[in-house]
Amino acid sequence: MNELDLMTKIVSLCKRRGFVFQSSEIYGGLKSAYDYGPLGVELKRNIAAAWWRSMVYERDDIVGIDASIIMHPKVWETSGHVAGFSDPLVDCLNCKERFRGDKAPRAEVGSEVVFHEGGKSSGKKLKGHVGACGYVCPVCSSPNLSDERQFNGMFRTTLGPVDPLAEFFKEIKEKNLDEREMRAKYEECLKRSLVYLRPETAQAMFVQFLNVQQTTSMKVPFGIAQQGKSFRNEIVVEHFIFRSCEFEQMEMEFFIEPGTQDQWLKYWTDERMAWYKKYANSGESFRLRQHDKTELAHYSDDCYDVEYLYPWGWGELEGIASRTDYDLKRHGAATGSKLSYFDQNKADPETGKPGWRYVPYVIEPAAGLTRTVLAMLLDAYCEEKSVDANGQEKVRVLLKLHPALAPIKAAVLPLVKKDGQPEKAEAIAKELRRAGLNVACDDAQSIGKRYAKHDEVGTPYCITVDTQTLEDQTVTLRDRDTAQQERLTIPAAVAKVVEACRHP
Ligand code: ATP
């Protein structure tokens, strides 16, 4: 299968079957936001639940929080986001594309490139030389580009019943200000009510460190986990839900003793890779990549990315960073709060006296929930070709999602819509629902079409009710991956589905 074809097929399947829709589609849609449909919301929630299970429920050293999206604006000044959460914005002077300089295709400085005038293949062929930036336009390959301007990715809004524009007009009335002065005045008026939509969930875990530690009496090493929406005004939104402006993250801050960061970073990279492989269909498309020293953020002493092999190449799925004591120290200094930990069982390494107070170091596994939805869909997508009795080639499309992630765990299908079969199917579905599973009872279309539909949305089992069911209380249980059917008693079929849908 052509790799980019795969992306087209996934996007089409997502819309056709109700996984993901364009936001506000009937109004023409928004390119940067998506809505999760009846199956998409189940897949997303199942992935989130699998992460929460492994981070919080299966351990006693991590607790969760659910913080607000709007935080005190000073949080973002202290964290460095106001000054530094920027991407280099570049305009192509040939085709007018706007893009991120750091993600543009690299080209040797001074080398000659050929491109089409206006970016259209019908345009005149032109030649140019790559400038000092060392990249070309990602759309038309032109080296004729604007300088980079730093564009801050945080969404800004105002809090409370205020109108910063009215205040601004009042302030500048009858003052003869130039553009720079007016801009400064506007920022000053805005600042009185300015708040940001959080661009990551992580900061709340630092800001609430003391409250969480004191209310739970957690002892270092311990972690705080959170899932939720984040917002980034991305210069380029791309590849469907891979990069959007509104998305969801699953982040965990693990607070550790200074000096133990190498061992904990190794621990968390191993844990996170194992988590993805446990749920993946083919673990081969996941890898770890250590950051080059030049890639590291100034506060980080080491970092790895969990990468997935997307149809366009390897790309980030999760970042696992060793963040030193940067965040707690910064928030502590800005607020005067004692964001530190006292270990009464350890001697202070400097004085040798019993009891050690220190600012914990942090390891942060930061994953994208919505990006993991895409990775899991890509990883699960399969096409099986076969030839039918008439010699025609058939293609069976199936999503080999792990049963614990699958939106529908089982479809209960009466063979015909009469003879008590629909009622029997309902009774079996009720039993599965009582066990906590999301199941479908489906009597529309031929049985073959119903199997095909459920293969395509990743339903691991189909339970078929037929004439024999009413006679001897047995059903056929069809396995999505093998398409094999076996005859089982109803309790045995129910037990098999329940067992298969357990988290690994
Ligand atoms: P990228 O290099 O792809 O922009 P990042 O390094 O800025 O990602 P982080 O700040 O480390 O990303 O965020 C952690 C995770 O959140 C990412 O690994 C990704 O899965 C997810 N994420 C970040 N930005 C977006 C976005 N715009 N849309 C969807 N998911 C995102």
Side-chain angles (χ1 to χ4, degrees):
M1 192 185 331
N2 173 326
E3 296 299 310
L4 286 170
D5 251 20
L6 170 61
M7 202 59 198
T8 314
K9 285 176 177 170
I10 291 287
V11 174
S12 146
L13 189 153
C14 280
K15 180 173 156 77
R16 195 160 26 87
R17 293 298 188 192
F19 279 91
V20 183
F21 307 123
Q22 185 74 70
S23 159
S24 326
E25 191 185 283
I26 59 169
Y27 280 92
L30 272 185
K31 214 175 146 207
S32 49
Y34 292 89
D35 294 345
Y36 289 77
L39 296 186
V41 68
E42 295 300 331
L43 176 58
K44 181 154 69 71
R45 287 171 72 117
N46 292 342
I47 294 172
W51 185 91
W52 196 262
R53 235 183 116 84
S54 84
M55 284 294 185
V56 181
Y57 295 162
E58 287 176 356
R59 357 184 6 127
D60 59 7
D61 57 354
I62 301 180
V63 288
I65 61 165
D66 183 9
S68 56
I69 286 172
I70 297 174
M71 300 177 75
H72 196 293
K74 284 219 162 65
V75 168
W76 305 109
E77 286 173 26
T78 306
S79 67
H81 283 79
V82 170
F85 192 66
S86 306
D87 291 321
L89 171 67
V90 180
D91 286 308
C92 173
L93 304 179
N94 181 46
C95 74
K96 310 298 176 220
E97 176 71 9
R98 187 159 268 191
F99 62 92
R100 266 175 74 170
D102 59 333
K103 301 262 179 198
R106 304 285 113 186
E108 201 182 319
V109 175
S111 61
E112 190 178 75
V113 285
V114 179
F115 57 100
H116 290 271
E117 191 175 32
K120 299 196 176 78
S121 52
S122 55
K124 205 163 88 189
K125 240 187 192 177
L126 300 173
K127 284 182 182 165
H129 289 95
V130 178
C133 60
Y135 53 79
V136 293
C137 171
V139 172
C140 72
S141 303
S142 164
N144 296 338
L145 310 169
S146 73
D147 288 340
E148 290 183 355
R149 310 185 293 294
Q150 287 305 315
F151 176 77
N152 193 296
M154 279 198 295
F155 280 98
R156 307 200 298 177
T157 187
T158 54
L159 193 65
V162 284
D163 178 4
L165 209 55
E167 287 183 35
F168 168 65
F169 286 135
K170 207 159 65 193
E171 296 257 359
I172 62 163
K173 215 169 169 189
E174 289 158 20
K175 282 186 196 146
N176 196 14
L177 302 180
D178 64 24
E179 192 186 321
R180 194 184 52 78
E181 290 166 327
M182 271 202 267
R183 189 169 266 280
K185 201 40 108 190
Y186 175 69
E187 290 293 331
E188 186 190 309
C189 293
L190 186 65
K191 209 165 175 186
R192 292 173 203 151
S193 52
L194 174 69
V195 287
Y196 302 93
L197 299 187
R198 68 180 178 202
E200 59 175 37
T201 57
Q203 291 305 317
M205 273 91 90
F206 299 123
V207 171
Q208 294 294 3
F209 168 78
L210 264 195
N211 277 336
V212 173
Q213 197 277 322
Q214 286 171 356
T215 52
T216 59
S217 305
M218 300 290 279
K219 291 189 170 50
V220 169
F222 77 94
I224 309 178
Q226 179 173 212
Q227 301 176 329
K229 293 245 174 181
S230 292
F231 301 83
R232 296 183 187 180
N233 203 358
E234 297 279 4
I235 293 172
V236 179
V237 287
E238 55 185 352
H239 306 309
F240 192 38
I241 53 173
F242 173 80
R243 188 183 304 285
S244 49
C245 288
E246 178 176 340
F247 57 99
E248 283 177 65
Q249 291 185 304
M250 312 184 283
E251 299 194 292
M252 194 275 292
E253 308 304 322
F254 200 70
F255 300 96
I256 55 170
E257 205 180 286
T260 61
Q261 61 268 38
D262 291 351
Q263 107 201 21
W264 280 113
L265 185 60
K266 163 95 179 69
Y267 171 85
W268 279 111
T269 48
D270 289 349
E271 279 288 299
R272 295 301 302 142
M273 275 304 283
W275 184 82
Y276 285 106
K277 292 199 169 181
K278 218 160 53 165
Y279 286 97
N281 169 37
S282 138
E284 283 153 32
S285 303
F286 296 81
R287 75 171 187 194
L288 263 184
R289 182 182 70 82
Q290 187 173 21
H291 277 211
D292 200 89
K293 286 273 172 279
T294 56
E295 273 179 274
L296 290 177
H298 62 93
Y299 50 75
S300 174
D301 59 8
D302 204 355
C303 186
Y304 285 79
D305 280 349
V306 175
E307 293 191 327
Y308 182 75
L309 185 55
Y310 300 98
W312 58 93
W314 290 100
E316 181 174 334
L317 182 55
E318 167 165 350
I320 307 170
S322 169
R323 293 181 73 110
T324 68
D325 55 3
Y326 174 82
D327 304 271
L328 287 181
K329 265 200 173 142
R330 294 270 300 189
H331 288 300
T335 57
S337 309
K338 220 173 184 178
L339 301 186
S340 59
Y341 176 77
F342 184 70
D343 188 339
Q344 55 195 6
N345 298 319
K346 287 251 160 88
D348 186 320
E350 274 178 24
T351 63
K353 291 194 180 138
W356 181 20
R357 179 168 291 284
Y358 59 83
V359 177
Y361 271 42
V362 171
I363 303 296
E364 176 195 75
L369 170 56
T370 40
R371 205 175 273 188
T372 306
V373 170
L374 176 62
M376 289 299 178
L377 283 170
L378 288 164
D379 173 69
Y381 186 89
C382 299
E383 286 180 2
E384 273 178 18
K385 293 203 170 88
S386 60
V387 179
D388 69 12
N390 302 323
Q392 296 287 319
E393 191 178 80
K394 285 193 314 187
V395 180
R396 184 166 85 100
V397 174
L398 64 160
L399 281 186
K400 285 191 179 175
L401 288 169
H402 190 287
L405 302 187
I408 300 170
K409 308 302 186 194
V412 193
L413 314 173
L415 202 55
V416 291
K417 280 194 218 176
K418 54 182 186 180
D419 304 336
Q421 289 186 20
E423 293 75 12
K424 190 73 194 167
E426 256 315 324
I428 297 170
K430 204 165 167 191
E431 221 170 298
L432 288 159
R433 288 185 184 123
R434 218 177 296 129
L437 302 186
N438 185 37
V439 297
C441 221
D442 193 351
D443 61 10
Q445 300 184 306
S446 73
I447 193 75
K449 282 197 173 142
R450 281 181 275 167
Y451 286 155
K453 172 181 145 191
H454 281 286
D455 286 344
E456 207 185 5
V457 301
T459 306
Y461 292 103
C462 286
I463 297 174
T464 308
V465 173
D466 53 21
T467 325
Q468 196 181 330
T469 309
L470 281 300
E471 289 161 9
D472 66 3
Q473 305 299 312
T474 62
V475 287
T476 60
L477 184 71
R478 178 182 177 276
D479 181 295
R480 174 197 67 199
D481 298 348
T482 61
Q484 296 294 315
Q485 303 193 26
E486 57 180 328
R487 190 118 209 145
L488 294 173
T489 62
I490 294 170
V494 168
K496 192 157 181 180
V497 174
V498 170
E499 184 55 33
C501 292
R502 280 190 207 290
H503 285 265

